[in-house]
Amino acid sequence: MAISEFGFISSLAARFAELPDGGFDRIGDDCTTIDIGGGESLVMSTDMLVEGIHFLREASSAYEVGCKSLLVNLSDVAAMGARPVATMLSLSLPSDAVAEWAEEFMRGYYDESKRWGTALAGGDTTSSRDAITVNVVAIGRMATADIKRRSDARVGDMICVSGKLGSSAAGLRDILNGDSTTVHARLHRRGNARIEEGAWLGLRPEVHAMMDISDGIASDMRHIMERSGVGAAIAIESVPTDTDIKTAVTGGEDYELLMTVAADECERLRRDYFERFASELYVIGRIVEPTDGGIEWLDRGRRIDVDWHGFEHY
Amino acid sequence: MAISEFGFISSLAARFAELPDGGFDRIGDDCTTIDIGGGESLVMSTDMLVEGIHFLREASSAYEVGCKSLLVNLSDVAAMGARPVATMLSLSLPSDAVAEWAEEFMRGYYDESKRWGTALAGGDTTSSRDAITVNVVAIGRMATADIKRRSDARVGDMICVSGKLGSSAAGLRDILNGDSTTVHARLHRRGNARIEEGAWLGLRPEVHAMMDISDGIASDMRHIMERSGVGAAIAIESVPTDTDIKTAVTGGEDYELLMTVAADECERLRRDYFERFASELYVIGRIVEPTDGGIEWLDRGRRIDVDWHGFEHY
């Protein structure tokens, strides 16, 4: 959900930047933002899920795909610190998915919409020859002053994550190994989103930069570093995970929140967060002065030489 | 671009209607609207184009698909009476379309964006196994009081269209007959949108209901009739077309504007429109009291018994 994903048209992206911006801020965050006056902004995200790439019909139920399609988009809105209010849904369906598959998909989409109080504000349906494609737009509304951007990290900030990492990637591995019944596998198929948490963190000024973890922190952390012009040091023994450290930092689709927090407010924030959500904000590192060398990975204080990359889009 | 297209989930659509609306108006127009305060609204449309359904790689150039993907969405915004300000673009691309096809597509998308002054505010790119899928969201901003809805037609209104009908369908027929070089074929491949015209008509209070013609007036007129609770009488000899009358009223993808206009202001509007655009607003019929029988088709005043339907989505 960023112009930067158009790697194959980088020269054109620069040309688009010369067009009028229509009031929209297009600087590589989870969402586009538009100031609507009165101190408020809309934030908008769009994501496309394709059969055979993002899900397999034999591995994920239609209900699960319906849940996940909504959740991954609401996660982008929450990652800006906003509360999602509505979505738009486009679906292209081959003839063998028009009836039962579509009904079950919509049941999942509806259940998660109801759970998070989001309207279905519009959409499009069409046929396709072979594969199912789902496109969701999620829209949130929030105070402009509270928008959390990837560009807001400051040297000295603590780096925190909202939950265990690598679970979704471990679940995908389970599925590919033939066991779709594990807890991780179920998490991978249904998706995850820290929606209440994101809106709550949006109101805390000590939270500086924020984004959701869709490609693994080895990749996503770099977005914050690039946009904020800072470096990052991550203590691998502090990264919360149920799986191995490499999967935890390079696995995609966790949809936990990654944020940087003013150091002297961090402990109070973590206490308040735990009191509110009965769930931990884990400190995994520090924002440091920018370096040439990417993320500094530390093992109990000692620098380790690894070449970890998150999931990368072509 | 309407919930009503979800024919296969009509029972679920009713359930979605019970969820909070998030401030969005979801009543079957070309666009969803959201009141953003200060007398202003955003209008938003989304459309999905699928290879093999909406375009064929062998018949349409990537550049043309790029133009058309943008235009059909801007047309929805213009049909509300709004000026489009930004779009979001999702693309899924098989490996044989990642390079040259995508570059050419983006060149078309860029040229039309530049022409109409719309920002590219966000997007998503992903791979796919076989087919190209394009999803565009178009966003406009306008005075809430000027929004033109399908539900605003009144008995006695004149029915007008902004251009010749059936050209795109005739072009598709040419293409299927092996001749992609006709004027109609080119129009079909590139698309059309009355963008300046829509925004101008939006400011005219004598224009009551408005929508764009995507499925042919035999189908689209019914949306206005249903939403406004009115009937319609159409004089087939007045329908502007370069092709046969059945193609003109049942062919899809013309993207001309269909509107109803206060009868006593209609001639002045048409004069002003011609002065502004050097193009005609054609009067094709009248809004009448609702009947059970659908559109009344008249041939030089005499009722004719035809069973014409526009392009219908499953």
Side-chain angles (χ1 to χ4, degrees):
Chain A
M1 170 54 219
I3 303 298
S4 61
E5 287 176 24
F6 291 104
F8 60 92
I9 48 139
S10 48
S11 65
L12 267 167
R15 285 173 65 195
F16 273 105
E18 291 162 15
L19 298 184
D21 68 8
F24 285 80
D25 186 350
R26 298 170 287 188
I27 311 294
D29 282 298
D30 291 277
C31 292
T32 295
T33 67
I34 179 168
D35 192 319
I36 57 173
E40 276 199 306
S41 287
L42 292 186
V43 302
M44 277 189 255
S45 149
T46 186
D47 266 306
M48 190 174 260
L49 281 82
V50 183
E51 181 184 355
I53 307 291
H54 300 92
F55 63 91
L56 300 171
R57 263 197 263 188
E58 52 274 29
S60 293
S61 72
Y63 182 87
E64 289 166 336
V65 177
C67 294
K68 188 168 180 173
S69 301
L70 186 71
L71 284 174
V72 302
N73 277 279
L74 299 187
S75 177
D76 282 325
V77 168
M80 303 296 286
R83 185 170 298 282
V85 293
T87 67
M88 297 199 291
L89 169 65
S90 301
L91 269 180
S92 72
L93 299 168
S95 55
D96 64 351
V98 172
E100 198 182 336
W101 195 94
E103 293 266 5
E104 278 300 294
F105 172 92
M106 289 309 303
R107 205 165 60 78
Y109 197 91
Y110 173 83
D111 282 354
E112 291 291 341
S113 296
K114 186 173 183 188
R115 183 171 164 211
W116 302 111
T118 53
L120 180 58
D124 191 19
T125 55
T126 179
S127 46
S128 74
R129 284 191 303 200
D130 297 311
I132 299 164
T133 303
V134 182
N135 194 84
V136 177
V137 175
I139 305 161
R141 194 163 178 164
M142 69 184 300
T144 304
D146 294 337
I147 294 175
K148 304 300 184 195
R149 298 192 179 282
R150 297 178 182 181
S151 53
D152 290 338
R154 301 176 206 170
V155 172
D157 281 355
M158 310 302 284
I159 301 169
C160 299
V161 295
S162 62
K164 290 180 178 167
L165 304 185
S167 302
S168 180
L172 177 58
R173 205 159 49 201
D174 292 344
I175 291 168
L176 296 175
N177 286 336
D179 188 355
S180 295
T181 63
T182 65
V183 173
H184 287 162
R186 184 167 178 283
L187 182 75
H188 175 81
R189 295 192 318 255
R190 284 280 303 257
N192 177 41
R194 295 285 189 180
I195 296 168
E196 291 290 338
E197 294 88 338
W200 186 90
L201 290 161
L203 298 175
R204 302 290 294 229
E206 65 268 40
V207 176
H208 293 161
M210 188 156 72
M211 66 182 297
D212 72 346
I213 303 171
S214 54
D215 299 335
I217 57 170
S219 166
D220 291 327
M221 193 68 228
R222 283 171 218 264
H223 295 301
I224 290 179
M225 292 160 65
E226 279 165 25
R227 301 229 69 86
S228 297
V230 297
I234 293 178
I236 61 167
E237 73 278 12
S238 302
V239 172
T241 184
D242 284 337
T243 180
D244 62 288
I245 183 67
K246 187 178 176 195
T247 302
V249 303
T250 65
E253 303 207 324
D254 278 319
Y255 301 108
E256 295 291 349
L257 295 168
L258 170 66
M259 73 208 78
T260 80
V261 182
D264 54 356
E265 315 261 9
C266 191
E267 278 316 297
R268 203 188 48 179
L269 178 77
R270 296 179 64 223
R271 278 201 307 275
D272 292 351
Y273 184 93
F274 190 85
E275 213 162 88
R276 170 69 182 78
F277 296 109
S279 172
E280 267 209 73
L281 276 189
Y282 301 89
V283 177
I284 63 166
R286 267 326 254 272
I287 295 295
V288 298
E289 295 288 347
T291 62
D292 292 338
I295 297 170
E296 285 176 39
W297 299 101
L298 303 171
D299 183 2
R300 284 152 295 178
R302 219 175 283 171
R303 179 103 187 230
I304 57 171
D305 186 23
V306 288
D307 187 29
W308 287 333
H309 294 276
F311 177 77
E312 280 172 20
H313 307 266
Y314 62 78
Chain B
M1 168 57 217
I3 302 298
S4 61
E5 287 177 25
F6 291 103
F8 60 92
I9 50 141
S10 48
S11 65
L12 267 167
R15 285 173 65 196
F16 273 103
E18 291 162 15
L19 298 183
D21 67 9
F24 286 79
D25 185 349
R26 298 171 288 189
I27 310 296
D29 282 299
D30 291 277
C31 293
T32 295
T33 67
I34 180 169
D35 191 320
I36 57 174
E40 277 199 307
S41 286
L42 292 187
V43 302
M44 277 188 253
S45 148
T46 186
D47 266 306
M48 189 173 260
L49 280 82
V50 182
E51 181 185 355
I53 306 292
H54 300 91
F55 64 91
L56 300 171
R57 264 197 261 186
E58 53 274 29
S60 293
S61 73
Y63 182 87
E64 290 166 334
V65 178
C67 294
K68 187 168 181 174
S69 301
L70 185 71
L71 283 174
V72 301
N73 277 278
L74 298 188
S75 177
D76 281 326
V77 168
M80 304 296 286
R83 185 170 298 281
V85 293
T87 67
M88 299 199 291
L89 170 65
S90 301
L91 270 180
S92 72
L93 299 167
S95 54
D96 64 352
V98 171
E100 198 184 334
W101 194 93
E103 294 266 6
E104 279 300 294
F105 172 91
M106 289 308 302
R107 206 164 59 77
Y109 197 91
Y110 173 82
D111 282 353
E112 290 292 340
S113 297
K114 186 172 182 190
R115 183 170 164 212
W116 302 111
T118 54
L120 179 58
D124 192 19
T125 54
T126 179
S127 46
S128 73
R129 285 192 301 199
D130 298 309
I132 299 163
T133 303
V134 182
N135 194 83
V136 176
V137 176
I139 305 161
R141 193 163 177 164
M142 69 184 300
T144 304
D146 294 337
I147 294 175
K148 304 299 183 194
R149 298 191 179 283
R150 298 178 182 181
S151 53
D152 290 338
R154 299 175 208 171
V155 172
D157 281 356
M158 308 303 282
I159 301 170
C160 299
V161 296
S162 61
K164 290 180 179 169
L165 305 185
S167 303
S168 180
L172 177 59
R173 204 161 48 200
D174 293 343
I175 292 168
L176 295 176
N177 286 337
D179 187 355
S180 295
T181 63
T182 65
V183 173
H184 287 163
R186 184 166 178 283
L187 182 77
H188 175 81
R189 297 192 318 255
R190 284 279 303 258
N192 176 42
R194 296 284 188 180
I195 296 168
E196 291 291 338
E197 294 88 337
W200 185 90
L201 290 162
L203 298 175
R204 303 290 294 230
E206 65 269 37
V207 176
H208 294 160
M210 189 156 72
M211 66 181 297
D212 71 348
I213 303 171
S214 55
D215 299 334
I217 57 169
S219 167
D220 291 329
M221 193 68 230
R222 283 169 218 265
H223 295 302
I224 291 179
M225 291 160 65
E226 280 166 24
R227 302 228 67 86
S228 297
V230 297
I234 293 179
I236 61 167
E237 72 278 11
S238 303
V239 172
T241 183
D242 285 337
T243 181
D244 62 287
I245 183 67
K246 188 177 175 193
T247 301
V249 303
T250 65
E253 303 206 324
D254 280 318
Y255 302 109
E256 295 291 349
L257 296 170
L258 170 65
M259 72 208 78
T260 80
V261 181
D264 53 357
E265 315 261 9
C266 192
E267 278 316 297
R268 205 188 48 183
L269 178 77
R270 294 179 65 221
R271 277 202 307 275
D272 293 351
Y273 184 93
F274 189 85
E275 212 162 89
R276 171 67 182 79
F277 296 108
S279 172
E280 266 209 73
L281 276 189
Y282 302 89
V283 177
I284 62 167
R286 268 326 255 271
I287 295 295
V288 298
E289 295 288 346
T291 62
D292 292 339
I295 298 170
E296 285 176 39
W297 300 101
L298 304 172
D299 183 1
R300 285 152 293 176
R302 218 175 286 172
R303 180 103 187 232
I304 56 171
D305 187 25
V306 288
D307 188 29
W308 287 332
H309 294 276
F311 178 78
E312 280 174 18
H313 306 268
Y314 60 79

